[in-house]
Amino acid sequence: MKWGILAFVIIYELITIIGVGAIIARKNKSANAEGSFAFANKGLSTAHVGVTLALTMLGSAHIWGTCENAAGMGSIAAWFGIACTVMMVVITQITGPWIRKIGVSTVPDLFGKLFGKKTRLLTACVMGPLVFGCLCLETQCIAVTFVACTGWSYTIGAIVGGVFGILYVLFAGMKEVSWLNMINAVFMYAALIIALIAMFVCLPGNGWADVEANLNSMGNSWMLDIFGNKDLIIGFAIPTIFCTSMFQGVSQMGLQTCIAADNVKSVKKSMWLAGPVNGCFCIIPALLGMAALALGYLKVGGSAMFMTPSMMLDILPNWVTALICASFLGALLSTFAMTSLCPATIFAYDLYGGLYKKNASEKEKTRVMRIMIIVVGVLAICLANFQPTVVTTINWIFTWGVPLFVMMVIGLCWKRSTPAAIITFFVSWIANIIWITGGVMEKTGMTNFHQVYLCTIISVVLGVILTAVLPGKPGYFRLSKAEKEAC
């Protein structure tokens, strides 16, 4: 075990998490403002919105997931970053301003305004578990980070990392997350620049020239091309753009930061921070992953997930590995925090406050959220030992958001038909399950026809036709101010 690396990572996380958390919690207590835990009093500035959005979405898929993907698809793995840049445009310019302007607390609350109370409950029961699925993947990659910097077992890494993730948000909620993100964003990019320089210096032999030569000798010269090949563009790059944009454009995970913004302008201007900070990150993990593959660390690490950590421990100086692990861990903990806060918010506001105790105070909801953050965090730690391929699983989870995104746009801009929405939801979700878990994609020989294509076609066609023919009400944006308040 490399105690110096472990000590640096632990000390950095303890100082930032406990220090910032304690200060913000004290301020929140003195202010005693409504919504301070979940929504930071709806006072996040442009900088806080942009950086928090960037790091909320900068997690398992960007880091070890992209390293893992690089083993099979090369530099095109960095397209996940391109997809997330498009996603940031959708969130900050379209759906984020919409939900901030409408003034709802949760996405299920929005669907309740559009399609009724039953749809609010349905959306809450579906979206909560989907975000929890993302939380499990974050925990998996946090464990990998601890394995990389300590040599601990995977399980111990998941437990220690999960505890840090819970503390990242437990003290003061959204405001704590936003301030920690500001610190971690600066540290993360400084560490990545150092890591990239170190990779050029420390790679054995002729460095990147040997990486290129080895990939060519393995018959993988196409991995050096950012456009990969046609199959990967159709089967990975384009679907990833659709998946990330449509799910996060309508998920609580993607929009809670926008709900917490001080105004709509802050959401829109945050694009200039959120896009570059998030989108550029994937480049370095993709390079690290290709280097690990070319140098034979797929065999050393035992799997595509562990090949890059194995290479880093072997060839990089301890202080560089410590910087990388601390910066990676900061980004992963940010996403862990938000993927635990979001289902907790949905539970507190839509289920506990919406069904069980409608007159629940903010103090009660905050207590419920803290309990749920611990519960979902512990469950994620327990489930982290199941290790699916990160980016593939993320895209499958994200596809569930396609009908929600389509019907949200229809319900806001055109017409609100509850039967049309519910039918579209279920048909798309069932199709997504059958196409993947039923093996239909392989049996039909349509392996490049990603499930997001199928669900998008179903959602648009079915959503438009059913909304047109079934009874409904005018779209939310077509209502008068009095009618909107009555929703």
Side-chain angles (χ1 to χ4, degrees):
M1 182 182 295
K2 299 189 176 184
W3 290 104
I5 296 175
L6 175 61
F8 177 82
V9 172
I10 295 292
I11 291 170
Y12 173 77
E13 298 302 339
L14 284 174
I15 290 174
T16 54
I17 291 173
I18 295 179
V20 172
I23 292 170
I24 300 300
R26 191 179 298 112
K27 288 184 177 181
N28 279 353
K29 189 175 182 179
S30 62
N32 197 27
E34 183 175 338
S36 61
F37 189 84
F39 307 113
N41 304 330
K42 293 190 176 180
L44 294 186
S45 66
T46 298
H48 283 279
V49 172
V51 172
T52 301
L53 267 178
L55 265 69
T56 294
M57 310 301 175
L58 204 163
S60 57
H62 280 75
I63 301 174
W64 300 123
T66 297
C67 293
E68 180 184 30
N69 256 14
M73 61 180 64
S75 57
I76 200 174
W79 271 71
F80 192 85
I82 297 173
C84 287
T85 302
V86 176
M87 171 192 73
M88 289 300 175
V89 174
V90 172
I91 291 174
T92 60
Q93 304 305 303
I94 304 174
T95 59
W98 284 352
I99 199 165
R100 182 65 183 86
K101 190 179 298 183
I102 292 170
V104 293
S105 297
T106 65
V107 172
D109 188 15
L110 172 65
F111 277 89
K113 284 183 175 291
L114 296 179
F115 302 110
K117 294 181 180 179
K118 292 182 179 178
T119 310
R120 178 183 183 181
L121 178 60
L122 172 63
T123 308
C125 290
V126 170
M127 187 166 292
L130 290 176
V131 178
F132 173 73
C134 296
L135 174 61
C136 292
L137 295 174
E138 297 307 315
T139 311
Q140 173 185 331
C141 288
I142 288 171
V144 172
T145 305
F146 272 104
V147 171
C149 66
T150 65
W152 281 346
S153 71
Y154 182 87
T155 302
I156 296 298
I159 293 171
V160 175
V163 171
F164 275 122
I166 292 170
L167 293 177
Y168 201 103
V169 66
L170 191 65
F171 290 115
M174 174 62 82
K175 193 175 290 186
E176 177 187 3
V177 172
S178 69
W179 275 105
L180 284 170
N181 286 348
M182 295 290 284
I183 296 169
N184 281 327
V186 175
F187 179 78
M188 178 182 71
Y189 268 94
L192 281 179
I193 292 170
I194 293 171
L196 187 60
I197 295 170
M199 284 297 297
F200 278 100
V201 174
C202 298
L203 282 177
N206 295 317
W208 285 102
D210 280 358
V211 170
E212 183 177 354
N214 290 347
L215 289 175
N216 287 330
S217 66
M218 294 163 63
N220 293 330
S221 58
W222 56 270
M223 285 188 168
L224 300 167
D225 185 354
I226 188 65
F227 293 100
N229 57 51
K230 184 181 72 174
D231 289 342
L232 286 174
I233 290 292
I234 296 173
F236 170 75
I238 296 174
T240 299
I241 293 174
F242 275 92
C243 286
T244 54
S245 298
M246 298 182 84
F247 178 78
Q248 298 294 20
V250 73
S251 77
Q252 186 71 24
M253 181 180 170
L255 295 175
Q256 184 145 342
T257 305
C258 299
I259 295 171
D262 54 6
N263 54 54
V264 173
K265 286 184 178 180
S266 292
V267 176
K268 290 187 174 182
K269 290 191 294 184
S270 69
M271 178 184 72
W272 302 108
L273 271 174
V277 171
N278 184 283
C280 294
F281 188 92
C282 278
I283 297 171
I284 294 175
L287 292 174
L288 292 172
M290 285 193 294
L293 175 67
L295 297 176
Y297 282 92
L298 182 58
K299 294 180 181 179
V300 176
S303 70
M305 176 63 77
F306 286 94
M307 67 174 187
T308 306
S310 298
M311 179 192 70
M312 288 166 49
L313 283 174
D314 193 26
I315 70 171
L316 293 179
N318 286 352
W319 68 273
V320 175
T321 303
L323 284 176
I324 294 174
C325 289
S327 64
F328 279 11
L329 188 61
L332 289 165
L333 291 176
S334 169
T335 310
F336 183 104
M338 286 301 293
T339 49
S340 57
L341 177 62
C342 291
T345 303
I346 290 173
F347 184 88
Y349 281 81
D350 295 298
L351 300 180
Y352 178 80
L355 290 176
Y356 176 71
K357 194 173 182 181
K358 295 185 178 181
N359 61 343
S361 66
E362 281 298 318
K363 188 175 181 180
E364 288 177 289
K365 291 176 183 177
T366 297
R367 183 173 64 249
V368 169
M369 278 188 281
R370 283 198 167 107
I371 293 170
M372 286 304 300
I373 286 168
I374 295 172
V375 170
V376 297
V378 171
L379 285 174
I381 292 169
C382 295
L383 294 173
N385 284 291
F386 298 94
Q387 299 176 32
T389 304
V390 173
V391 178
T392 301
T393 308
I394 285 279
N395 280 347
W396 184 79
I397 291 173
F398 283 4
T399 302
W400 283 69
V402 171
L404 294 171
F405 185 92
V406 170
M407 293 310 301
M408 177 187 70
V409 174
I410 290 175
L412 287 171
C413 303
W414 177 28
K415 183 181 174 183
R416 296 173 292 142
S417 171
T418 302
I422 293 175
I423 293 171
T424 302
F425 292 165
F426 277 105
V427 173
S428 178
W429 292 336
I430 291 170
N432 186 22
I433 294 171
I434 293 174
W435 190 250
I436 298 299
T437 60
V440 176
M441 180 186 291
E442 288 76 16
K443 291 175 183 177
T444 57
M446 301 176 67
T447 53
N448 279 336
F449 192 73
H450 196 278
Q451 65 267 21
V452 75
Y453 297 137
L454 177 68
C455 292
T456 300
I457 292 170
I458 290 173
S459 300
V460 172
V461 173
L462 206 57
V464 170
I465 292 175
L466 290 177
T467 299
V469 300
L470 293 176
K473 302 175 182 177
Y476 184 85
F477 289 151
R478 298 172 62 190
L479 300 177
S480 65
K481 185 177 180 180
E483 289 172 325
K484 288 176 181 177
E485 291 175 352
C487 286

